[in-house]
Amino acid sequence: MIIFDKTTEQQFEQHLLEISHITEHLNFLSQGDLLGLHKLKRTFQTKVDDFYQKERKLNIGIIGQVKAGKSSFLNTMIFNGEDVLPRASTLKTATLTKIEYSEKNSIEISYYSQKEWQEIEERARVNSELDEYRVAREILSLAQKNSIDIDTYLKKGTEIITFSNEKDLMRELNEYVGENGKITALVKYVTLKINNEALKDISIVDTPGMNDPIASRTDKTKQFMEVCDVVFFLSRGSNFLDQTDMHLLTAQLPQKGVNRLVLISSRYDEAMQDTIDDYDSLEETNIETKKILQSNARIKITQYIEALRNRGMSNDIIQVLEECKNPIFVSSMAHNMSQKEVQSFTEDEKLIMRNLNEHDDLDKDMLIDIGNIREIKRIFGEVIARKEEILIEKTAAFLPLAKKELSQEMKNILTFQKRRLTLLVEHDYESLEQQKKAIASQMQNIKMATTSIFTDIFTKLEMCKADGTQALRQASLEYSNLNERSGTDLEERSHNVSTSKWYNPFSWGTSRKEYYTVEVRYRYLDISDALENIRNFGNESVNTVEEYFQKTLDFHQLKNRLLNTVIENFDPGSEYYDPSYFKLLTEKTIQAIELPIIRINLSEYLKSMGNNFSGEVRNASSKVELQSKLSSHISQLFDEILIQFINEIKVFKEKLTAIDNNFTTQLLKNIIHEYEIVLARFNDKEKEILALQEGVKKLENLTAKKILI
């Protein structure tokens, strides 16, 4: 147990007491007005309780997108490369998994509650392609497919299963969280208790992704992240720090209290496979690929930090992010390959071997270097050794942040009370009713204007679909064809040389065969070109789609158009007019918009091609077969990407429509609510004015710290 000094503990207790006293002083406010204060107290109490629990562990979070390689990363780190943690290939099977030390091996299964399952069933009945509805249908379908007695498991709440070794664990765990597990659909999260000395003093959470659309899992993940000390953020090397990664890193990662953030370029071998043809050796590929990815990280993280500074973000968060400018490059697959003989490689590993051995210079040492697990283990060891220091540093940051949040919340409450007092003093009931109706009318104008803005975007999306489809089709035609290469062989030939001598009649008519070599040129197709065409087409198509979406939606322009629309439709002379409030609401609306991401798995296409051909293809019929196979794969890949592209446009439209509706609805709801609060006070106007004036004074005194607790 970490022993914190008594002064720190007293300061924490004093802050909680201060919030309680402030709440008591503000007993004239409604519970709705005090919600923010209650939430601040609960959050701070949770963090304090977390720190002062017996044998407090160091909480380490592993986060990133689906398919970022989180489970593979942990399998390599903890289980020596064994696939103990199932790799979540779809959102429906992504389950939050906590891993901790225990002398006795066990799995603690936490099932959905009956209420949560009812919510899933309700979402499944909605005919929408939005993630939360689509995934609900998938979960329900998986449960029905496996003929599970749902009520039996939901009533259990939790269940503990013991196991003797890692093989038993793999078998048991797969039933509950594996892609084809019988009970997977009903499991909310699991806790693995493992007798592994490396896990002492730490708690590791393999998250299903911070963008998990299942609310119960997302909530559980966010609850853990609130008390997380160290975060390992995994971004896939072949799509390093793409738009979704930056959104997770900047918008959804709860940075409060995270003492250290380590950025990892995971599945790094894939990034090298994409660039190896540009260099003369694997070593040069390794060096240059790291330079490219690191430059990408520096540019994007620097831009993000600059944006944080402009928003007045604390230096603590900025310092945590600074380390992300120097990402760690990791390939769990390459490390696992370095630990075994070539004969025991899996099909995926054989394919990587072929792709990385382009220059015939891949050996065990190079695999270890590409894997780079030693560096990660060094960092793990370092943070564990600094456990006490990290936790104490974290407590030091708690109080300043909590006081800042409390101060801001008090200012917000004061602003609303002053606004209500002004409306009550300077207006009568009828004029406020008229203003309320006028606001509703103004909202209709805003609604029509914002709908027009989003309609323009929908029109652009249709153009995006047409232009994007054409660009994808053109690219598919280009990458469907292979150019023949020319090569030379040394071919041995022979000819007869006369051995007749004029002076020897017996030699007349004799000859001998002499051999010589000639250079013979030939034409061939190279399988590596076909594999490169597939990779390039897949990557280029994904980038093309993202670029078209980005061109369609100019965030800066949209923000300005929405803000101008609101300002133009409100009377600047109105007592309620507050441009900063409207600006904040508009920014929140923009932040809720996420550009679609296309995800394509090329491994099956590459494996199919690599298994049927190798090296130089010279035979005429084999050339035709190779060309036909490539054309077929590119065509299938084109169809797959196009279906995703069109579907993402449809889903994106649904999301934008919801945002359009919510923008004015929420704005109107907030404003009307304030008017109704003031109108209700007209029953005893003079008394209410005196109460508000007294309340404003109390708030001003509390905000200025004139009342000492």
Side-chain angles (χ1 to χ4, degrees), residues 335-585:
H335 175 81
N336 295 339
M337 290 167 65
S338 72
Q339 305 302 301
K340 53 188 178 181
E341 299 300 324
V342 175
Q343 306 88 276
S344 58
F345 281 0
T346 64
E347 288 303 314
D348 285 343
E349 290 169 343
K350 289 177 182 175
L351 180 60
I352 290 173
M353 180 76 179
R354 286 197 295 271
N355 292 340
L356 290 181
N357 204 26
E358 179 91 6
H359 307 293
D360 198 29
D361 53 358
L362 179 62
D363 56 22
K364 182 176 180 178
D365 289 340
M366 184 58 75
L367 284 170
I368 292 173
D369 188 50
I370 295 170
N372 203 25
I373 293 298
R374 287 179 297 195
E375 177 64 9
I376 291 298
K377 288 189 174 182
R378 183 192 67 76
I379 295 173
F380 258 89
E382 178 187 305
V383 296
I384 293 170
R386 289 188 62 241
K387 173 189 172 183
E388 185 169 344
E389 184 183 344
I390 287 173
L391 295 183
I392 291 174
E393 285 175 359
K394 188 169 181 177
T395 56
F398 270 5
L399 204 55
L401 178 61
K403 286 184 178 294
K404 183 178 180 181
E405 290 175 338
L406 177 59
S407 175
Q408 185 59 52
E409 182 60 26
M410 293 292 291
K411 288 176 182 177
N412 292 343
I413 295 174
L414 179 59
T415 298
F416 277 104
Q417 295 306 306
K418 283 184 174 180
R419 189 176 290 158
R420 291 170 187 173
L421 179 59
T422 300
L423 290 173
L424 193 59
V425 169
E426 299 184 5
H427 297 275
D428 56 29
Y429 190 92
E430 289 73 20
S431 68
L432 285 184
E433 275 287 5
Q434 289 176 353
Q435 279 193 39
K436 189 173 102 172
K437 291 177 182 177
I439 288 288
S441 175
Q442 286 171 321
M443 282 297 168
Q444 288 301 316
N445 294 334
I446 294 174
K447 173 62 180 169
M448 287 189 290
T450 57
T451 298
S452 174
I453 292 171
F454 283 100
T455 300
D456 287 347
I457 295 175
F458 294 157
T459 302
K460 289 181 180 179
L461 280 173
E462 288 304 312
M463 295 173 61
C464 166
K465 181 165 70 174
D467 294 343
T469 300
Q470 181 59 35
L472 290 173
R473 183 172 285 110
Q474 182 60 39
S476 72
L477 293 174
E478 293 173 4
Y479 286 111
S480 290
N481 295 307
L482 288 173
N483 294 323
E484 280 194 329
R485 296 190 181 201
S486 62
T488 57
D489 266 349
L490 289 177
E491 188 174 297
E492 188 178 72
R493 296 184 180 180
S494 65
H495 64 278
N496 291 325
V497 178
S498 174
T499 57
S500 298
K501 304 295 182 182
W502 66 269
Y503 54 80
N504 183 4
F506 293 103
S507 67
W508 294 348
T510 62
S511 64
R512 71 170 182 275
K513 185 173 287 187
E514 288 189 353
Y515 294 89
Y516 62 97
T517 58
V518 295
E519 256 190 13
V520 177
R521 299 186 65 80
Y522 64 90
R523 307 286 291 176
Y524 69 95
L525 296 178
D526 197 318
I527 180 60
S528 65
D529 289 342
L531 296 174
E532 183 181 8
N533 275 19
I534 292 173
R535 281 196 297 270
N536 288 344
F537 176 63
N539 294 331
E540 185 177 306
S541 297
V542 168
N543 292 334
T544 296
V545 170
E546 289 186 7
E547 284 173 10
Y548 272 98
F549 275 121
Q550 287 168 356
K551 289 177 183 176
T552 301
L553 194 65
D554 184 327
F555 282 98
H556 181 71
Q557 184 187 57
L558 177 59
K559 175 181 172 181
N560 286 337
R561 289 186 69 183
L562 286 175
L563 185 55
N564 289 338
T565 296
V566 173
I567 293 173
E568 287 168 3
N569 284 277
F570 269 106
D571 178 10
S574 167
E575 286 79 6
Y576 196 83
Y577 180 74
D578 185 348
S580 62
Y581 171 77
F582 297 135
K583 182 179 180 182
L584 178 62
L585 183 63

Side-chain angles (χ1 to χ4, degrees), residues 87-128:
R87 287 175 283 183
S89 59
T90 64
L91 288 171
K92 66 178 181 289
T93 62
T95 303
L96 187 148
T97 306
K98 183 181 285 190
I99 310 166
E100 296 179 349
Y101 171 80
S102 175
E103 290 184 4
K104 188 175 182 179
N105 295 321
S106 66
I107 312 170
E108 185 175 306
I109 314 295
S110 296
Y111 298 102
Y112 287 110
S113 67
Q114 290 178 318
K115 182 180 178 181
E116 288 169 333
W117 190 258
Q118 185 179 356
E119 291 172 354
I120 289 173
E121 289 179 323
E122 289 173 358
R123 287 197 294 269
R125 287 193 286 270
V126 178
N127 184 23
S128 170

Side-chain angles (χ1 to χ4, degrees), residues 432 435-436 439 576 671-679:
L432 285 184
Q435 279 193 39
K436 189 173 102 172
I439 288 288
Y576 196 83
I671 295 175
I672 295 300
H673 177 67
E674 284 298 306
Y675 272 102
E676 288 174 348
I677 288 174
V678 175
L679 287 167

